[in-house]
Amino acid sequence: MADLATDIQYIKGVGEARAKGMAKLGIQTLRDLVSFFPRAYEDRTVIKPISLAVPDETVCIRAMAAAAPRLSHIRKGLDLVKVRVVDEGGAMDITFFNQSFVKDAIKPGEVYVFYGKVAGTARRPEMTNPVFERETTRNVTGRIMPVYRLTAGLSQNILAGAARQGLEACGEALPDYLPEAVREGYKLAQARYAYENIHFPLSFEALEIARRRLIFEELFIISAAMGVIRKIRTVKPGRGLKDADMDVFYAALPFTLTGAQKRSIEQAVSDMKRPTPMNRLVQGDVGSGKTVVAAACCWFTWKSGCQSAFMAPTEILAEQHYRSLSALLEPLGIQVGLLTGSMTPKQKKTVQGQLRLGELDVIIGTHALLSEGVEFFDLALVVTDEQHRFGVGQRSALTAKGDSPHVLVMSATPIPRTLALIIYGDLDVSVIDELPPGRQKVETYTAGEKLRQRTYNFMRKLVGEGRQVYVVCPMVEESETADADLKSAQEYAARLQQEIFPDLRVALVHGRMKPKEKERVMSAFAAGQTDILVATTVIEVGVDVPNAALMVVENADRFGLSQLHQLRGRVGRGEHQSYCILFEGAGGEVSRERLKIMCSTNDGFKISEEDLKLRGPGDFFGSRQHGLPEMHIASLAADMDVLTTAQAAASEVLKADPALSRPANKAMKERIDTLFELRANTLN
Ligand code: ADP
Ligand code: MG
C-alpha cells in the first residue's frame, strides 16, 4: 500500500520516461494519477456476430484466426499484416499497418476479440488496426474503456495501465474526504468504488454513480472551504447602521425600480443593519441598473451620518458614475465628490481635505482612492464596480481606510451562478435578473466581407437619422500583437474618415491614450459631437451613451462571447432600436457557430454559460484572477444541481462542527487545509 504522495515513477509500469510525459499532464504523485479522470469513454461492451456488423459501426467481434497472418513489406516504412478471421456466421479480413508484431501475436485456430470500426461492405466486411486480445483476458475489449487526455509519448493503453496500477497501489489509502454521515445521507458511493468505476466502469450505471459521488465530493469540499472563509470573516465585528425608511429614497428616483433592484437593495440594507460587515456581490447583466442599487446603499449610509466610497476601474467610468450619482443624491442633500489620477495635485488636495473633515459624504474615484493621502472622517461603505478588474488586494486596501466598513461589489460580468457561488463563495450574492421595462432587444447579425459595403450604407443611414455608431477593433493590451493591433485601428479610423465617410465625424479612442485625451474623446461622443467612434476595448465596461444605436465589431472571433456581450451592452440603452453587427474575421467554422449564439440571445447569463462550456472556467477571465482550485470533474455549467445539494451538505456539517474538529470530519478538514494552501498561492 503506497502513500498518495508517492512519486509516480515508482509505480509499477510507469518508470522515469513515462513519468516525464505524465508530468506534462499534471500527474506527479499517486494522488494525481488516480485523480486524472478520463475525458470520455469508449463503449466496447457490444460484441456482434460478423454477419450483423454494419460498415461504419465500431464494435467488438469474437472470431477465430482462420490461418496464420501474412506479413508483407510494401515499401520502406510500410508493413502490412493481413489475417482472415471467422465466426459461426461470417468471415472478416483484418489489416494491420506497421504492426508487424501481430504476425506472431495472432495464432491460427485461436479465438480473439477485435474492437474496431467496420469497413468494406456488408458482404465483405473488413477492419483496420483494431484493438485485439485473447477472448479470455478481457482487459481492453468487452468493457467500457477510459479515454484520457494525451500528450506526446503516451498512449491510451499506457495511461489506462498506469491508472490500473495506481488504483492497485493505493489499496486502502484511497482518500474518502466525505464524512460517513454525509456519504450515507446523500446516498453516495464509497471512494474506492467511485475511483475504480470512474476509470474502469463496470457499466454505464456504475459510471454515473461514480461520477455523481466525485462531483459531489469536489463541490462539497470547495463549498465547505468557502464556508470556513465566511466564518472567519463574520467573526470580525463591523458596525450596524441605523434603520431608515427606504421609501424616501425610492420616491426621489426618476423611475420605478424593478422588483430585482428592490430586492437587491433590501438585501444589502438588511446586511448593513447587522453588526457584522456586509460582503455582498450584486450581479446583474449590462443595463440591469446596478448603479442605483449602489446609490441606495450610499443614501442609507449617509442617513447614519457615515461616508461611502465608490471605486470604478477607469476614469471614464468614475466620471460617469460621478455624474449619475450626484444627479441622484445631491438633490437629497448629499455631498458627492470625485477623485481620479488625472486631477491636478491641488484639486486632489482639496478633495482629500473634504474627505478627512467629513465634508463629503460620497466619494467616487479610481485607484486614486487607494493612495496614501486619502483618509476618511468615517467610512462605513465601500462599493467597487466591475469587480473582476480589481484584485482582492485592492478591495481590501480600500476597506482598510475604514473601521471594517460594509462592502458592496458590483459585477456586470454575467458569471453563471455556479461559478459565482464558487468564486465569490465568501460573498453573499444578489442577482438582478430583470431589466428595466421597455428595453429593446439589440438586433444582432454576423457578417462576412461581402456585407461590408452594406454595413457602411447602414451606418450612414443611422447617422442620417441622428444616431451614433461604435466600431470596435480587437486589441489585447498585453499581447505581442498589441502594437500591430493599435496601428491597424488607427489606420482603419483614418480610412473611415478620409475615404468612406469624409462628410461625417469619425474619432478614435484607445487604451494607450492619456486619460485626459481619452476623456475628451469620450465626452465629445457622449455630447453627440462625434458620429462614429472607432474604439479598442476601452469602451467595454459601463459606458452609457443612449443615442448610440449601432455597434460594429471587427474580427469578432477574437473576442470571448461574454466580452462581446459586454460590448453589445453599449447600445440599446435608449429608446432607439439598436443593432450589433459582428464581422467574422478569419476564425472559421467554429467561431461562426460561436458567434451565432450572440444572434440568438441577449441574455448574458445564457451567453456566459455557453462561453464557459466552450472555454472552460480556467479561461473565463484568467484563472489567476479567480484563484479557483482546479476542478477535476465537476463541470460548472452542467452540475448546478449537485452544487446546491453539496452546499447544503457542507453547511450542515459546518453548523454541527464549526471547527471541523470531530474525528468524522478529519479527512475533510485536511483536504480543505490543502485547498487553502493552493488558494493562498494562486491569489498572490
Ligand atoms: P448597469 O447595471 O449596466 O450598471 P446602469 O446602472 O448603468 O446599468 O443603468 C442603465 C440605465 O438604466 C441607466 O441609464 C439608468 O438610469 C437606467 N435605469 C436603471 N434602473 C431603471 C429602472 N428601474 N427603470 C428605468 N430605467 C432604469
Ligand atoms: Mg454599470
Side-chain angles (χ1 to χ4, degrees), residues 462-480:
L462 283 180
V463 172
E465 289 167 7
R467 303 287 79 74
Q468 290 163 284
V469 178
Y470 291 107
V471 178
V472 178
C473 304
M475 170 164 160
V476 185
E477 277 296 341
E478 293 100 48
S479 79
E480 289 154 19

Side-chain angles (χ1 to χ4, degrees), residues 255-258 261 284-292 436-437 439 544 573:
F255 44 69
T256 312
L257 292 172
T258 63
Q261 283 172 317
D285 207 348
V286 273
S288 61
K290 293 180 291 293
T291 317
V292 69
R439 288 285 161 79
D544 194 21
R573 300 177 79 84

Side-chain angles (χ1 to χ4, degrees), residues 432-651:
I432 309 188
D433 50 6
E434 186 183 352
L435 294 181
R439 288 285 161 79
Q440 293 172 32
K441 183 170 179 287
V442 177
E443 294 289 340
T444 304
Y445 308 95
T446 57
E449 281 309 310
K450 272 190 293 193
L451 291 177
R452 188 164 290 281
Q453 191 51 49
R454 273 181 68 185
T455 303
Y456 290 151
N457 297 347
F458 187 56
M459 288 164 72
R460 181 176 289 285
K461 172 172 169 281
L462 283 180
V463 172
E465 289 167 7
R467 303 287 79 74
Q468 290 163 284
V469 178
Y470 291 107
V471 178
V472 178
C473 304
M475 170 164 160
V476 185
E477 277 296 341
E478 293 100 48
S479 79
E480 289 154 19
T481 60
D483 287 323
D485 286 347
L486 178 58
K487 189 153 165 280
S488 74
Q490 280 164 336
E491 285 169 1
Y492 184 44
R495 205 167 71 80
L496 283 183
Q497 177 69 85
Q498 287 154 21
E499 294 171 27
I500 322 276
F501 304 112
D503 51 329
L504 303 183
R505 299 163 298 178
V506 180
L508 172 72
V509 64
H510 60 79
R512 299 259 181 101
M513 281 175 159
K514 292 217 175 68
K516 267 246 156 70
E517 181 72 355
K518 235 187 315 195
E519 171 59 18
R520 197 185 54 72
V521 179
M522 286 310 298
S523 37
F525 186 70
Q529 293 156 4
T530 310
D531 303 308
I532 298 170
L533 182 65
V534 180
T536 60
T537 30
V538 287
I539 60 152
E540 179 187 340
V541 283
V543 172
D544 194 21
V545 180
N547 191 45
L550 168 63
M551 164 153 299
V552 177
V553 183
E554 297 290 341
N555 295 98
D557 56 295
R558 284 182 54 189
F559 293 97
L561 291 182
S562 295
Q563 214 180 358
L564 285 174
H565 179 69
Q566 290 292 313
L567 282 171
R568 181 170 61 181
R570 301 308 109 218
V571 296
R573 300 177 79 84
E575 77 254 40
H576 314 290
Q577 173 60 53
S578 298
Y579 308 87
C580 176
I581 298 177
L582 304 171
F583 274 96
E584 280 159 5
E589 189 63 32
V590 177
S591 68
R592 190 159 326 136
E593 281 306 307
R594 214 164 60 94
L595 293 179
K596 281 208 184 116
I597 298 163
M598 297 298 299
C599 307
S600 65
T601 180
N602 265 26
D603 179 339
F605 286 89
K606 243 186 230 150
I607 289 168
S608 70
E609 263 169 27
E610 287 301 324
D611 218 9
L612 194 59
K613 267 186 226 156
L614 290 164
R615 298 194 296 160
D619 268 11
F620 198 71
F621 32 56
S623 50
R624 247 179 322 117
Q625 270 169 327
H626 62 55
L628 265 187
E630 189 194 352
M631 300 259 173
H632 286 287
I633 185 162
S635 147
L636 292 167
D639 298 320
M640 177 69 190
D641 49 335
V642 184
L643 177 63
T644 318
T645 330
Q647 277 187 315
S651 73

Side-chain angles (χ1 to χ4, degrees), residues 278-520:
M278 164 169 77
N279 226 5
R280 181 167 290 277
L281 171 75
V282 176
Q283 220 209 326
D285 207 348
V286 273
S288 61
K290 293 180 291 293
T291 317
V292 69
V293 174
C297 292
C298 294
W299 181 83
F300 186 78
T301 304
W302 169 75
K303 288 296 277 182
S304 282
C306 303
Q307 293 171 299
S308 308
F310 189 141
M311 185 162 69
T314 64
E315 299 227 343
I316 293 175
L317 276 179
E319 308 215 0
Q320 186 178 293
H321 282 318
Y322 172 66
R323 279 193 297 271
S324 52
L325 262 74
S326 39
L328 222 71
L329 297 175
E330 287 193 334
L332 297 168
I334 302 179
Q335 298 303 315
V336 184
L338 175 70
L339 187 70
T340 65
S342 65
M343 286 164 53
T344 64
K346 195 165 159 225
Q347 287 171 319
K348 284 183 196 161
K349 258 222 156 76
T350 311
V351 173
Q352 287 171 356
Q354 290 172 319
L355 271 181
R356 198 173 304 125
L357 294 173
E359 290 167 9
L360 284 175
D361 306 305
V362 176
I363 183 77
I364 324 272
T366 55
H367 298 88
L369 289 174
L370 303 175
S371 56
E372 243 172 60
V374 179
E375 289 166 31
F376 289 84
F377 182 71
D378 188 6
L379 176 68
L381 171 67
V382 164
V383 182
T384 57
D385 192 10
E386 317 298 352
Q387 131 83 14
H388 65 281
R389 301 222 159 184
F390 293 112
V392 175
Q394 287 171 319
R395 218 199 303 160
S396 50
L398 188 53
T399 54
K401 292 184 184 281
D403 184 10
S404 301
H406 298 290
V407 174
L408 187 73
V409 174
M410 299 197 293
S411 173
T413 310
I415 310 157
R417 201 168 153 67
T418 29
L419 195 56
L421 282 170
I422 291 176
I423 297 175
Y424 302 117
D426 58 334
L427 271 64
D428 301 305
V429 181
S430 297
V431 180
I432 309 188
D433 50 6
E434 186 183 352
L435 294 181
R439 288 285 161 79
Q440 293 172 32
K441 183 170 179 287
V442 177
E443 294 289 340
T444 304
Y445 308 95
T446 57
E449 281 309 310
K450 272 190 293 193
L451 291 177
R452 188 164 290 281
Q453 191 51 49
R454 273 181 68 185
T455 303
Y456 290 151
N457 297 347
F458 187 56
M459 288 164 72
R460 181 176 289 285
K461 172 172 169 281
L462 283 180
V463 172
E465 289 167 7
R467 303 287 79 74
Q468 290 163 284
V469 178
Y470 291 107
V471 178
V472 178
C473 304
M475 170 164 160
V476 185
E477 277 296 341
E478 293 100 48
S479 79
E480 289 154 19
T481 60
D483 287 323
D485 286 347
L486 178 58
K487 189 153 165 280
S488 74
Q490 280 164 336
E491 285 169 1
Y492 184 44
R495 205 167 71 80
L496 283 183
Q497 177 69 85
Q498 287 154 21
E499 294 171 27
I500 322 276
F501 304 112
D503 51 329
L504 303 183
R505 299 163 298 178
V506 180
L508 172 72
V509 64
H510 60 79
R512 299 259 181 101
M513 281 175 159
K514 292 217 175 68
K516 267 246 156 70
E517 181 72 355
K518 235 187 315 195
E519 171 59 18
R520 197 185 54 72

Side-chain angles (χ1 to χ4, degrees), residues 11-12 14 22 30 33-36 38 146 148 156-170 192 195-196 199-200:
I11 303 299
K12 204 174 133 198
V14 178
M22 288 162 79
L30 182 55
L33 177 61
V34 295
S35 309
F36 188 76
Y148 297 96
Q156 293 298 348
N157 274 347
I158 291 175
L159 279 175
R164 216 185 278 276
Q165 293 297 343
L167 287 171
E168 213 151 281
C170 282
R192 176 92 230 169
Y195 278 91
E196 290 277 355
H199 288 285
F200 305 105

Side-chain angles (χ1 to χ4, degrees), residues 633-676:
I633 185 162
S635 147
L636 292 167
D639 298 320
M640 177 69 190
D641 49 335
V642 184
L643 177 63
T644 318
T645 330
Q647 277 187 315
S651 73
E652 265 170 56
V653 172
L654 283 174
K655 209 157 140 203
D657 181 17
L660 296 178
S661 52
R662 293 184 192 162
N665 299 328
K666 183 162 170 277
M668 167 184 174
K669 175 155 191 338
E670 280 169 9
R671 184 71 189 134
I672 290 173
D673 290 344
T674 346
L675 265 190
F676 273 134

